[in-house]
Amino acid sequence: MSSTSNMHSNAITNNSQSPFVKLKSINFGDCSWTKGFWAEKVKSAGDKMLPYMGDLLCGDIGHGLNNFKIAAGEKEGEHKGFYWHDGDFYKFMEAKMYIYGLTKNESLLKELDEYIAVIGRAQEEDGYIHTHVQITDGVDRFENRKYHEMYNFGHLFISASVHFRITGQRNFLDIAVKMANLLHAYFMPDTKHYQRFGFNQTQIMGLVELYRTTSDKKYLKLAEKFINRRGTFEIKHDSTTIGYPIGDMVQERTPLRESEEAVGHAVLALYYYAGAADVYAETGEKALIDALDKLWENVTGKKMYVTGAVGQAHYGASTSLDMIEEGFIDAYMMPNMTAYNETCANLCNAMFSSRMMSIHAESRYADIIELVLYNSGLSGIGIDGEDYFYSNPLRMVNNSRNYDSHADVTESPVRQPYLECFCCPPNLVRTICKSSGWAYNLSENGVAVVLFGANNLDTTMLDGSILKLSQDTEYPWKGLVKITVDACKKSEFDIKVRIPKWAVGSTMEVNGEAVNVDVIPGTFANINRIWKAGDTIVLYMPMEVTLIEGHNRIEEVRNQVAVKRGPIVYCIETPDLPKGTSILDVYLNGNTPLEVLHKPEFLGGVTTVNVELLLRKDKNGDMYQTVTKPNFEPFKTQLVPYFAWSNRGQAEMTVFIPVIWDI
Ligand SMILES: [Zn+2]
């Protein structure tokens, strides 16, 4: 790659110099949403989500900033929040950086500088920064991995790298570098005490990003070391592991390069895999990518929900019978009502897929990014931007579970204004804020259109030439996307347009004429030609409402269907049913037409699907009952996008609906 690719060193994931990446990230800010779905979400993030979250985290409820002030000796009090609360504060800061990058609002920069100053004063002389360990009596650094030091450090490294790239300032980066140098001093030598600390592994992604920011190779080596060590020690508790499950739960039973099945805590697993993909991007080690290919196939082909969500169970066992929490269980074992699907895990699925897309330059990875963004990611936050889901089940039935009896608050029948375990909210909001950075990628002699949404792109190609595109569309509600070339070089280059796998029957035109390229769902359609300003590409994706069934092996959805239109998964929710109707008595009449209606004022502006349902009237409450021919009453109503459910009070909801066909 030529040295001009340095021009893209301000990307979210800066793979501009990564030798084993085919699709490079654009600089953050090169693309911005102009109107429509994502423009509105990003605006809401800046206007509502972040100010609300800032009040929580900088006040006494969230206590995130307070923890740093106490560690700095500027405030009295105890650490509040879980061990990983620092990391969640760094994610909140990262979200703010993206909004600063898009708006150049100086007050955001000033607020960030104030946080950074407090964090700097909380940092110890030798670089250590982890407020729980620092201000809690009787707790020592690197005593027990359950304190999530690696997680907090990883988010610090990522957030500080993003801060440097977007602002050009070194104040946060200097803090991160100091911490990373200390981490290197502790963890690079082969010391027995530290061998099993690689846990909730954001530090791998973070170290690679720090390597990309500073060009200091020791961070990459340390990142690799965390992978190399994993799975090479006997699985039994020692003083560093007590208090948290071991083995498959934390992906330490099998070395990564020998792994064929995604196991354990879904967030831990996917951060680990995403970090390993970052390492591969720099080293090109075949064994690593071979394993990651298998793991990605396993996750998305055998353990993922129709919404892109992952982590089927709150509690369970791996196939090696290690106890697991919040994670993967057997292939095709996909409970709906008890699905855990932590918002973070779903977002990590997109993060892992985004790295795999860059490495392989294949569109199918972007399909997963999109699936998560529009469904199991966005479901984590309410339309008002002020309440959150941690778990994202596919079915909610009132009184089916005693949520109060759960030891934590991660599962709830309605979104919550604050989650004590606050990992998901800032993770989701930073993802919304950075979404325009995922919209395009750069190929060797071209650009790839990855996400659809009205936007402007003003970037440089990898050869240094100027490229300006604009995208006009009402996606995801309409399937028409118009891309206009606004400025470009004089010689030929590629514009690769992602054709989503669901977009069967798509057609494409250039300047009003059919193009002679393959438009195949699940691939990039590549148009290579000499482009000039004013050229247009029109992609038309039929937005049929489709019924989705699961693999035969998924018992939990046999004889049921999910309704999907474009990238949006729908659900039926009790506010759209006669009062007193249980979601469990709802069937779909498979023979009636499914019609769509756009409602700009409803649920923040959504397209609904109108259906005829059949409401069963003869069920009793017995565990088993004799059945003859069931008694159904037809009922016409609407389905709403899954991401928008639970915005009309406590409700029952299901994605998969039993279907009755007239055959
Ligand atoms: Zn989370």
Side-chain angles (χ1 to χ4, degrees):
M1 209 59 72
S2 72
S3 62
T4 47
S5 55
N6 260 332
M7 282 185 272
H8 292 280
S9 58
N10 292 333
I12 305 162
T13 305
N14 173 15
N15 52 24
S16 60
Q17 301 293 305
S18 308
F20 301 94
V21 163
K22 291 179 185 145
L23 288 181
K24 307 281 187 174
S25 306
I26 53 170
N27 277 342
F28 188 74
D30 282 4
C31 173
S32 51
W33 305 117
T34 49
K35 60 181 177 145
F37 194 90
W38 289 109
E40 285 162 23
K41 293 292 173 207
V42 173
K43 185 169 188 319
S44 169
D47 293 349
K48 287 198 261 178
M49 297 176 193
L50 278 172
Y52 176 79
M53 191 177 287
D55 286 346
L56 288 175
L57 287 178
C58 300
D60 291 333
I61 296 171
H63 211 262
L65 190 60
N66 285 351
N67 288 334
F68 288 105
K69 286 181 179 167
I70 295 165
E74 295 167 6
K75 190 178 170 72
E76 293 284 309
E78 293 177 344
H79 182 275
K80 280 194 202 161
F82 283 97
Y83 306 135
W84 47 90
H85 210 43
D86 292 359
D88 301 334
F89 194 78
Y90 300 139
K91 276 183 274 178
F92 157 70
M93 290 173 68
E94 190 187 330
K96 232 170 179 170
M97 293 164 201
Y98 296 127
I99 298 297
Y100 169 74
L102 294 169
T103 63
K104 298 291 185 252
N105 177 347
E106 290 296 319
S107 66
L108 294 175
L109 195 61
K110 196 164 156 279
E111 283 160 20
L112 286 164
D113 279 339
E114 284 166 12
Y115 307 150
I116 293 164
V118 176
I119 294 165
R121 293 195 295 273
Q123 185 170 36
E124 290 181 23
E125 208 45 39
D126 66 356
Y128 187 84
I129 174 88
H130 184 292
T131 64
H132 176 265
V133 170
Q134 288 173 284
I135 62 186
T136 307
D137 287 339
V139 177
D140 280 333
R141 59 171 75 168
F142 306 125
E143 176 184 89
N144 187 315
R145 66 184 184 186
K146 74 178 178 186
Y147 295 130
H148 284 70
E149 283 153 298
M150 301 304 146
Y151 177 88
N152 287 351
F153 301 158
H155 283 301
L156 169 63
F157 302 159
I158 293 166
S159 190
S161 293
V162 168
H163 184 259
F164 173 72
R165 289 169 195 167
I166 290 178
T167 68
Q169 294 180 192
R170 285 202 62 100
N171 48 343
F172 203 20
L173 183 62
D174 288 341
I175 293 170
V177 163
K178 218 170 151 187
M179 181 62 246
N181 290 343
L182 184 74
L183 192 68
H184 188 271
Y186 273 101
F187 283 85
M188 202 61 197
D190 285 312
T191 315
K192 189 168 186 299
H193 179 77
Y194 301 110
Q195 65 198 13
R196 288 172 72 187
F197 267 82
F199 156 77
N200 211 345
Q201 313 244 42
T202 48
Q203 89 282 7
I204 298 178
M205 279 184 290
L207 284 163
V208 175
E209 225 50 67
L210 214 51
Y211 158 67
R212 290 165 172 170
T213 310
T214 63
S215 303
D216 189 338
K217 211 157 193 169
K218 76 178 178 202
Y219 304 130
L220 176 63
K221 289 281 173 211
L222 184 58
E224 204 173 14
K225 179 126 198 167
F226 278 111
I227 297 171
N228 297 348
R229 271 189 177 166
R230 208 109 195 98
T232 60
F233 300 101
E234 193 184 351
I235 306 302
K236 63 173 191 190
H237 271 298
D238 63 33
S239 67
T240 68
T241 67
I242 291 288
Y244 202 88
I246 55 175
D248 279 339
M249 168 68 171
V250 296
Q251 301 84 35
E252 65 175 351
R253 187 168 285 287
T254 312
L256 183 66
R257 295 174 183 83
E258 295 165 27
S259 295
E260 298 188 352
E261 185 190 9
V263 292
H265 195 292
V267 177
L268 271 58
L270 289 160
Y271 274 144
Y272 185 19
Y273 306 156
D278 282 338
V279 170
Y280 169 80
E282 304 302 328
T283 65
E285 184 198 334
K286 188 173 182 304
L288 209 49
I289 196 63
D290 287 350
L292 291 172
D293 285 342
K294 286 179 194 159
L295 290 166
W296 189 86
E297 294 291 348
N298 183 256
V299 170
T300 60
K302 293 194 164 90
K303 299 191 177 189
M304 186 181 78
Y305 285 91
V306 71
T307 56
V310 286
Q312 303 112 296
H314 194 158
Y315 302 103
S318 72
T319 45
S320 307
L321 300 186
D322 286 336
M323 179 190 173
I324 66 108
E325 294 173 5
E326 308 187 323
F328 294 111
I329 49 175
D330 291 21
Y332 299 120
M333 196 184 279
M334 311 297 295
N336 291 306
M337 207 162 71
T338 57
Y340 196 67
N341 296 344
E342 178 180 344
T343 306
C344 282
N346 311 338
L347 298 170
C348 290
N349 191 22
M351 289 166 71
F352 178 34
S353 292
S354 111
R355 285 156 170 82
M356 296 298 274
M357 183 197 64
S358 294
I359 290 166
H360 290 302
E362 287 175 27
S363 145
R364 62 200 181 116
Y365 300 101
D367 287 348
I368 302 295
I369 300 173
E370 180 176 80
L371 187 67
V372 170
L373 285 179
Y374 283 109
N375 300 289
S376 54
L378 218 43
S379 57
I381 195 160
I383 298 295
D384 62 3
E386 296 185 352
D387 46 20
Y388 315 108
F389 271 138
Y390 186 104
S391 69
N392 297 277
L394 278 76
R395 179 171 295 162
M396 178 63 67
V397 177
N398 289 341
N399 305 318
S400 61
R401 309 178 74 193
N402 182 359
Y403 289 101
D404 294 337
S405 74
H406 282 245
D408 52 48
V409 294
T410 57
E411 289 175 285
S412 56
V414 289
R415 291 187 187 84
Q416 302 292 312
Y418 180 67
L419 302 171
E420 192 184 0
C421 179
F422 205 68
C423 52
C424 300
N427 207 3
L428 173 54
V429 174
R430 75 169 174 161
T431 305
I432 292 168
C433 295
K434 75 180 177 186
S435 53
S436 59
W438 278 355
Y440 294 91
N441 279 79
L442 299 163
S443 60
E444 196 179 349
N445 183 33
V447 62
V449 182
V450 178
L451 297 179
F452 303 117
N455 66 56
N456 285 332
L457 174 71
D458 182 352
T459 193
T460 47
M461 304 217 337
L462 297 181
D463 62 7
S465 58
I466 296 220
L467 178 65
K468 292 184 188 180
L469 301 180
S470 50
Q471 208 184 117
D472 191 18
T473 177
E474 290 173 60
Y475 197 84
W477 311 122
K478 291 188 179 167
L480 187 68
V481 176
K482 184 179 175 189
I483 299 161
T484 305
V485 177
D486 297 317
C488 66
K489 65 177 179 180
K490 290 198 166 60
S491 54
E492 50 78 37
F493 66 95
D494 296 335
I495 297 182
K496 299 170 191 288
V497 181
R498 182 173 72 90
I499 313 298
K501 196 177 172 203
W502 56 262
V504 176
S506 294
T507 56
M508 203 157 63
E509 290 177 353
V510 173
N511 298 335
E513 289 174 17
V515 283
N516 190 22
V517 300
D518 293 330
V519 180
I520 302 168
T523 70
F524 284 111
N526 184 22
I527 314 169
N528 177 283
R529 56 179 275 154
I530 293 172
W531 298 93
K532 60 178 190 318
D535 282 349
T536 57
I537 302 170
V538 171
L539 169 65
Y540 176 71
M541 295 172 274
M543 282 274 179
E544 305 294 334
V545 182
T546 52
L547 301 181
I548 308 290
E549 65 175 346
H551 189 283
N552 280 348
R553 288 270 310 277
I554 312 174
E555 270 193 276
E556 292 88 341
V557 299
R558 280 183 74 84
N559 304 322
Q560 299 177 57
V561 291
V563 177
K564 196 164 175 246
R565 178 174 181 264
I568 306 278
V569 176
Y570 283 79
C571 66
I572 176 75
E573 208 188 356
T574 42
D576 297 313
L577 292 173
K579 208 168 164 39
T581 306
S582 166
I583 211 83
L584 299 177
D585 291 332
V586 171
Y587 293 69
L588 184 72
N589 183 344
N591 296 91
T592 54
L594 298 159
E595 284 159 359
V596 297
L597 184 63
H598 190 70
K599 297 186 171 176
E601 304 301 323
F602 180 56
L603 296 172
V606 297
T607 295
T608 58
V609 174
N610 294 336
V611 292
E612 182 176 289
L613 299 175
L614 298 167
L615 307 182
R616 190 163 169 195
K617 297 291 179 184
D618 62 324
K619 279 290 267 185
N620 64 35
D622 291 353
M623 189 153 180
Y624 302 101
Q625 74 175 73
T626 303
V627 64
T628 50
K629 191 175 178 189
N631 174 16
F632 290 111
E633 269 179 21
F635 182 72
K636 285 199 161 77
T637 187
Q638 64 183 359
L639 308 180
V640 297
Y642 170 74
F643 76 78
W645 90 275
S646 192
N647 281 288
R648 294 176 286 166
Q650 187 167 341
E652 294 193 344
M653 174 278 298
T654 187
V655 170
F656 277 97
I657 309 171
V659 62
I660 294 173
W661 309 93
D662 238 359
I663 48 170

PDB file of all heavy atoms in Angstrom, residues 584-608:
ATOM      1  N   LEU A 584     -49.220 -15.585  23.700  1.00  0.00           N
ATOM      2  CA  LEU A 584     -49.088 -17.016  23.431  1.00  0.00           C
ATOM      3  C   LEU A 584     -50.303 -17.584  22.700  1.00  0.00           C
ATOM      4  O   LEU A 584     -50.287 -18.723  22.252  1.00  0.00           O
ATOM      5  CB  LEU A 584     -48.852 -17.766  24.744  1.00  0.00           C
ATOM      6  CG  LEU A 584     -47.581 -17.342  25.482  1.00  0.00           C
ATOM      7  CD1 LEU A 584     -47.471 -18.072  26.809  1.00  0.00           C
ATOM      8  CD2 LEU A 584     -46.338 -17.603  24.633  1.00  0.00           C
ATOM      9  N   ASP A 585     -51.359 -16.790  22.589  1.00  0.00           N
ATOM     10  CA  ASP A 585     -52.558 -17.238  21.872  1.00  0.00           C
ATOM     11  C   ASP A 585     -52.632 -16.653  20.463  1.00  0.00           C
ATOM     12  O   ASP A 585     -53.669 -16.707  19.813  1.00  0.00           O
ATOM     13  CB  ASP A 585     -53.818 -16.846  22.664  1.00  0.00           C
ATOM     14  CG  ASP A 585     -53.935 -17.642  23.949  1.00  0.00           C
ATOM     15  OD1 ASP A 585     -53.419 -18.781  23.980  1.00  0.00           O
ATOM     16  OD2 ASP A 585     -54.507 -17.125  24.931  1.00  0.00           O
ATOM     17  N   VAL A 586     -51.526 -16.076  20.025  1.00  0.00           N
ATOM     18  CA  VAL A 586     -51.511 -15.401  18.724  1.00  0.00           C
ATOM     19  C   VAL A 586     -50.886 -16.307  17.663  1.00  0.00           C
ATOM     20  O   VAL A 586     -49.800 -16.866  17.866  1.00  0.00           O
ATOM     21  CB  VAL A 586     -50.711 -14.080  18.819  1.00  0.00           C
ATOM     22  CG1 VAL A 586     -50.508 -13.477  17.441  1.00  0.00           C
ATOM     23  CG2 VAL A 586     -51.405 -13.097  19.742  1.00  0.00           C
ATOM     24  N   TYR A 587     -51.577 -16.451  16.553  1.00  0.00           N
ATOM     25  CA  TYR A 587     -51.082 -17.217  15.410  1.00  0.00           C
ATOM     26  C   TYR A 587     -51.131 -16.307  14.193  1.00  0.00           C
ATOM     27  O   TYR A 587     -51.915 -15.358  14.147  1.00  0.00           O
ATOM     28  CB  TYR A 587     -51.955 -18.456  15.167  1.00  0.00           C
ATOM     29  CG  TYR A 587     -51.864 -19.496  16.255  1.00  0.00           C
ATOM     30  CD1 TYR A 587     -52.397 -19.229  17.526  1.00  0.00           C
ATOM     31  CD2 TYR A 587     -51.254 -20.722  16.029  1.00  0.00           C
ATOM     32  CE1 TYR A 587     -52.303 -20.170  18.549  1.00  0.00           C
ATOM     33  CE2 TYR A 587     -51.158 -21.670  17.046  1.00  0.00           C
ATOM     34  CZ  TYR A 587     -51.677 -21.389  18.301  1.00  0.00           C
ATOM     35  OH  TYR A 587     -51.578 -22.315  19.299  1.00  0.00           O
ATOM     36  N   LEU A 588     -50.316 -16.617  13.210  1.00  0.00           N
ATOM     37  CA  LEU A 588     -50.326 -15.831  11.975  1.00  0.00           C
ATOM     38  C   LEU A 588     -51.059 -16.624  10.895  1.00  0.00           C
ATOM     39  O   LEU A 588     -50.802 -17.816  10.718  1.00  0.00           O
ATOM     40  CB  LEU A 588     -48.887 -15.547  11.537  1.00  0.00           C
ATOM     41  CG  LEU A 588     -48.711 -14.651  10.320  1.00  0.00           C
ATOM     42  CD1 LEU A 588     -49.048 -13.206  10.670  1.00  0.00           C
ATOM     43  CD2 LEU A 588     -47.270 -14.724   9.808  1.00  0.00           C
ATOM     44  N   ASN A 589     -51.971 -15.955  10.233  1.00  0.00           N
ATOM     45  CA  ASN A 589     -52.628 -16.585   9.094  1.00  0.00           C
ATOM     46  C   ASN A 589     -51.693 -16.461   7.891  1.00  0.00           C
ATOM     47  O   ASN A 589     -51.514 -15.379   7.347  1.00  0.00           O
ATOM     48  CB  ASN A 589     -53.974 -15.884   8.837  1.00  0.00           C
ATOM     49  CG  ASN A 589     -54.733 -16.537   7.711  1.00  0.00           C
ATOM     50  OD1 ASN A 589     -54.163 -17.315   6.929  1.00  0.00           O
ATOM     51  ND2 ASN A 589     -56.016 -16.240   7.625  1.00  0.00           N
ATOM     52  N   GLY A 590     -51.085 -17.560   7.525  1.00  0.00           N
ATOM     53  CA  GLY A 590     -50.068 -17.542   6.472  1.00  0.00           C
ATOM     54  C   GLY A 590     -50.613 -17.263   5.084  1.00  0.00           C
ATOM     55  O   GLY A 590     -49.840 -17.059   4.145  1.00  0.00           O
ATOM     56  N   ASN A 591     -51.924 -17.263   4.940  1.00  0.00           N
ATOM     57  CA  ASN A 591     -52.499 -17.085   3.607  1.00  0.00           C
ATOM     58  C   ASN A 591     -52.996 -15.681   3.314  1.00  0.00           C
ATOM     59  O   ASN A 591     -53.418 -15.397   2.212  1.00  0.00           O
ATOM     60  CB  ASN A 591     -53.665 -18.061   3.411  1.00  0.00           C
ATOM     61  CG  ASN A 591     -53.158 -19.478   3.450  1.00  0.00           C
ATOM     62  OD1 ASN A 591     -53.120 -20.088   4.512  1.00  0.00           O
ATOM     63  ND2 ASN A 591     -52.703 -19.969   2.314  1.00  0.00           N
ATOM     64  N   THR A 592     -52.928 -14.817   4.326  1.00  0.00           N
ATOM     65  CA  THR A 592     -53.406 -13.456   4.072  1.00  0.00           C
ATOM     66  C   THR A 592     -52.229 -12.574   3.667  1.00  0.00           C
ATOM     67  O   THR A 592     -51.093 -12.819   4.051  1.00  0.00           O
ATOM     68  CB  THR A 592     -54.096 -12.860   5.314  1.00  0.00           C
ATOM     69  OG1 THR A 592     -53.186 -12.963   6.396  1.00  0.00           O
ATOM     70  CG2 THR A 592     -55.376 -13.579   5.621  1.00  0.00           C
ATOM     71  N   PRO A 593     -52.523 -11.539   2.880  1.00  0.00           N
ATOM     72  CA  PRO A 593     -51.426 -10.678   2.430  1.00  0.00           C
ATOM     73  C   PRO A 593     -50.846  -9.861   3.578  1.00  0.00           C
ATOM     74  O   PRO A 593     -51.539  -9.549   4.548  1.00  0.00           O
ATOM     75  CB  PRO A 593     -52.100  -9.754   1.404  1.00  0.00           C
ATOM     76  CG  PRO A 593     -53.554  -9.804   1.726  1.00  0.00           C
ATOM     77  CD  PRO A 593     -53.824 -11.132   2.350  1.00  0.00           C
ATOM     78  N   LEU A 594     -49.567  -9.545   3.454  1.00  0.00           N
ATOM     79  CA  LEU A 594     -48.888  -8.707   4.438  1.00  0.00           C
ATOM     80  C   LEU A 594     -48.658  -7.357   3.781  1.00  0.00           C
ATOM     81  O   LEU A 594     -47.986  -7.269   2.751  1.00  0.00           O
ATOM     82  CB  LEU A 594     -47.555  -9.355   4.843  1.00  0.00           C
ATOM     83  CG  LEU A 594     -47.707 -10.729   5.499  1.00  0.00           C
ATOM     84  CD1 LEU A 594     -46.421 -11.518   5.397  1.00  0.00           C
ATOM     85  CD2 LEU A 594     -48.116 -10.582   6.957  1.00  0.00           C
ATOM     86  N   GLU A 595     -49.251  -6.333   4.342  1.00  0.00           N
ATOM     87  CA  GLU A 595     -49.153  -5.004   3.731  1.00  0.00           C
ATOM     88  C   GLU A 595     -48.412  -4.046   4.636  1.00  0.00           C
ATOM     89  O   GLU A 595     -48.456  -4.189   5.858  1.00  0.00           O
ATOM     90  CB  GLU A 595     -50.566  -4.465   3.433  1.00  0.00           C
ATOM     91  CG  GLU A 595     -51.150  -5.138   2.211  1.00  0.00           C
ATOM     92  CD  GLU A 595     -52.661  -5.061   2.149  1.00  0.00           C
ATOM     93  OE1 GLU A 595     -53.264  -4.497   3.071  1.00  0.00           O
ATOM     94  OE2 GLU A 595     -53.213  -5.584   1.172  1.00  0.00           O
ATOM     95  N   VAL A 596     -47.755  -3.069   4.020  1.00  0.00           N
ATOM     96  CA  VAL A 596     -46.966  -2.148   4.839  1.00  0.00           C
ATOM     97  C   VAL A 596     -47.579  -0.752   4.829  1.00  0.00           C
ATOM     98  O   VAL A 596     -48.258  -0.353   3.882  1.00  0.00           O
ATOM     99  CB  VAL A 596     -45.496  -2.068   4.366  1.00  0.00           C
ATOM    100  CG1 VAL A 596     -44.825  -3.415   4.506  1.00  0.00           C
ATOM    101  CG2 VAL A 596     -45.395  -1.556   2.946  1.00  0.00           C
ATOM    102  N   LEU A 597     -47.329  -0.054   5.907  1.00  0.00           N
ATOM    103  CA  LEU A 597     -47.821   1.317   6.038  1.00  0.00           C
ATOM    104  C   LEU A 597     -46.751   2.117   6.765  1.00  0.00           C
ATOM    105  O   LEU A 597     -46.304   1.715   7.848  1.00  0.00           O
ATOM    106  CB  LEU A 597     -49.124   1.308   6.853  1.00  0.00           C
ATOM    107  CG  LEU A 597     -49.836   2.654   7.002  1.00  0.00           C
ATOM    108  CD1 LEU A 597     -50.294   3.191   5.642  1.00  0.00           C
ATOM    109  CD2 LEU A 597     -51.039   2.507   7.946  1.00  0.00           C
ATOM    110  N   HIS A 598     -46.318   3.222   6.176  1.00  0.00           N
ATOM    111  CA  HIS A 598     -45.332   4.050   6.882  1.00  0.00           C
ATOM    112  C   HIS A 598     -46.045   5.041   7.784  1.00  0.00           C
ATOM    113  O   HIS A 598     -46.983   5.714   7.370  1.00  0.00           O
ATOM    114  CB  HIS A 598     -44.410   4.789   5.903  1.00  0.00           C
ATOM    115  CG  HIS A 598     -43.257   5.424   6.631  1.00  0.00           C
ATOM    116  ND1 HIS A 598     -42.250   4.681   7.200  1.00  0.00           N
ATOM    117  CD2 HIS A 598     -42.982   6.717   6.924  1.00  0.00           C
ATOM    118  CE1 HIS A 598     -41.396   5.485   7.810  1.00  0.00           C
ATOM    119  NE2 HIS A 598     -41.810   6.736   7.659  1.00  0.00           N
ATOM    120  N   LYS A 599     -45.619   5.103   9.029  1.00  0.00           N
ATOM    121  CA  LYS A 599     -46.254   5.990  10.017  1.00  0.00           C
ATOM    122  C   LYS A 599     -45.193   6.919  10.598  1.00  0.00           C
ATOM    123  O   LYS A 599     -44.507   6.560  11.561  1.00  0.00           O
ATOM    124  CB  LYS A 599     -46.893   5.149  11.125  1.00  0.00           C
ATOM    125  CG  LYS A 599     -48.018   4.251  10.643  1.00  0.00           C
ATOM    126  CD  LYS A 599     -48.691   3.565  11.827  1.00  0.00           C
ATOM    127  CE  LYS A 599     -49.959   2.844  11.383  1.00  0.00           C
ATOM    128  NZ  LYS A 599     -50.561   2.101  12.499  1.00  0.00           N
ATOM    129  N   PRO A 600     -45.074   8.118  10.023  1.00  0.00           N
ATOM    130  CA  PRO A 600     -43.994   9.027  10.447  1.00  0.00           C
ATOM    131  C   PRO A 600     -44.092   9.462  11.902  1.00  0.00           C
ATOM    132  O   PRO A 600     -43.086   9.805  12.508  1.00  0.00           O
ATOM    133  CB  PRO A 600     -44.153  10.238   9.518  1.00  0.00           C
ATOM    134  CG  PRO A 600     -45.194   9.888   8.523  1.00  0.00           C
ATOM    135  CD  PRO A 600     -45.914   8.668   8.971  1.00  0.00           C
ATOM    136  N   GLU A 601     -45.304   9.424  12.463  1.00  0.00           N
ATOM    137  CA  GLU A 601     -45.471   9.927  13.833  1.00  0.00           C
ATOM    138  C   GLU A 601     -45.462   8.806  14.875  1.00  0.00           C
ATOM    139  O   GLU A 601     -45.582   9.065  16.061  1.00  0.00           O
ATOM    140  CB  GLU A 601     -46.808  10.695  13.958  1.00  0.00           C
ATOM    141  CG  GLU A 601     -46.993  11.835  12.975  1.00  0.00           C
ATOM    142  CD  GLU A 601     -45.895  12.882  13.098  1.00  0.00           C
ATOM    143  OE1 GLU A 601     -45.449  13.154  14.230  1.00  0.00           O
ATOM    144  OE2 GLU A 601     -45.467  13.405  12.044  1.00  0.00           O
ATOM    145  N   PHE A 602     -45.367   7.574  14.441  1.00  0.00           N
ATOM    146  CA  PHE A 602     -45.530   6.432  15.348  1.00  0.00           C
ATOM    147  C   PHE A 602     -44.164   5.846  15.699  1.00  0.00           C
ATOM    148  O   PHE A 602     -43.362   5.540  14.810  1.00  0.00           O
ATOM    149  CB  PHE A 602     -46.418   5.398  14.646  1.00  0.00           C
ATOM    150  CG  PHE A 602     -46.700   4.149  15.440  1.00  0.00           C
ATOM    151  CD1 PHE A 602     -47.279   4.219  16.705  1.00  0.00           C
ATOM    152  CD2 PHE A 602     -46.407   2.900  14.899  1.00  0.00           C
ATOM    153  CE1 PHE A 602     -47.545   3.064  17.424  1.00  0.00           C
ATOM    154  CE2 PHE A 602     -46.680   1.740  15.612  1.00  0.00           C
ATOM    155  CZ  PHE A 602     -47.243   1.824  16.875  1.00  0.00           C
ATOM    156  N   LEU A 603     -43.891   5.731  16.990  1.00  0.00           N
ATOM    157  CA  LEU A 603     -42.653   5.107  17.473  1.00  0.00           C
ATOM    158  C   LEU A 603     -41.397   5.740  16.844  1.00  0.00           C
ATOM    159  O   LEU A 603     -40.448   5.045  16.489  1.00  0.00           O
ATOM    160  CB  LEU A 603     -42.667   3.590  17.220  1.00  0.00           C
ATOM    161  CG  LEU A 603     -43.739   2.799  17.977  1.00  0.00           C
ATOM    162  CD1 LEU A 603     -43.779   1.341  17.510  1.00  0.00           C
ATOM    163  CD2 LEU A 603     -43.515   2.858  19.496  1.00  0.00           C
ATOM    164  N   GLY A 604     -41.451   7.024  16.685  1.00  0.00           N
ATOM    165  CA  GLY A 604     -40.297   7.728  16.124  1.00  0.00           C
ATOM    166  C   GLY A 604     -40.233   7.679  14.607  1.00  0.00           C
ATOM    167  O   GLY A 604     -39.239   8.111  14.018  1.00  0.00           O
ATOM    168  N   GLY A 605     -41.289   7.135  13.992  1.00  0.00           N
ATOM    169  CA  GLY A 605     -41.315   7.045  12.531  1.00  0.00           C
ATOM    170  C   GLY A 605     -40.895   5.665  12.056  1.00  0.00           C
ATOM    171  O   GLY A 605     -39.711   5.403  11.894  1.00  0.00           O
ATOM    172  N   VAL A 606     -41.879   4.794  11.871  1.00  0.00           N
ATOM    173  CA  VAL A 606     -41.571   3.423  11.437  1.00  0.00           C
ATOM    174  C   VAL A 606     -42.567   2.976  10.369  1.00  0.00           C
ATOM    175  O   VAL A 606     -43.648   3.545  10.238  1.00  0.00           O
ATOM    176  CB  VAL A 606     -41.630   2.403  12.607  1.00  0.00           C
ATOM    177  CG1 VAL A 606     -40.583   2.715  13.652  1.00  0.00           C
ATOM    178  CG2 VAL A 606     -43.024   2.338  13.230  1.00  0.00           C
ATOM    179  N   THR A 607     -42.176   1.960   9.640  1.00  0.00           N
ATOM    180  CA  THR A 607     -43.096   1.292   8.733  1.00  0.00           C
ATOM    181  C   THR A 607     -43.635   0.061   9.451  1.00  0.00           C
ATOM    182  O   THR A 607     -42.850  -0.748   9.957  1.00  0.00           O
ATOM    183  CB  THR A 607     -42.380   0.900   7.430  1.00  0.00           C
ATOM    184  OG1 THR A 607     -41.979   2.097   6.768  1.00  0.00           O
ATOM    185  CG2 THR A 607     -43.287   0.091   6.515  1.00  0.00           C
ATOM    186  N   THR A 608     -44.964  -0.039   9.517  1.00  0.00           N
ATOM    187  CA  THR A 608     -45.561  -1.205  10.173  1.00  0.00           C
ATOM    188  C   THR A 608     -45.968  -2.228   9.108  1.00  0.00           C
ATOM    189  O   THR A 608     -46.080  -1.894   7.920  1.00  0.00           O
ATOM    190  CB  THR A 608     -46.802  -0.806  10.986  1.00  0.00           C
ATOM    191  OG1 THR A 608     -47.734  -0.178  10.097  1.00  0.00           O
ATOM    192  CG2 THR A 608     -46.439   0.161  12.102  1.00  0.00           C
TER     193      THR A 608
END
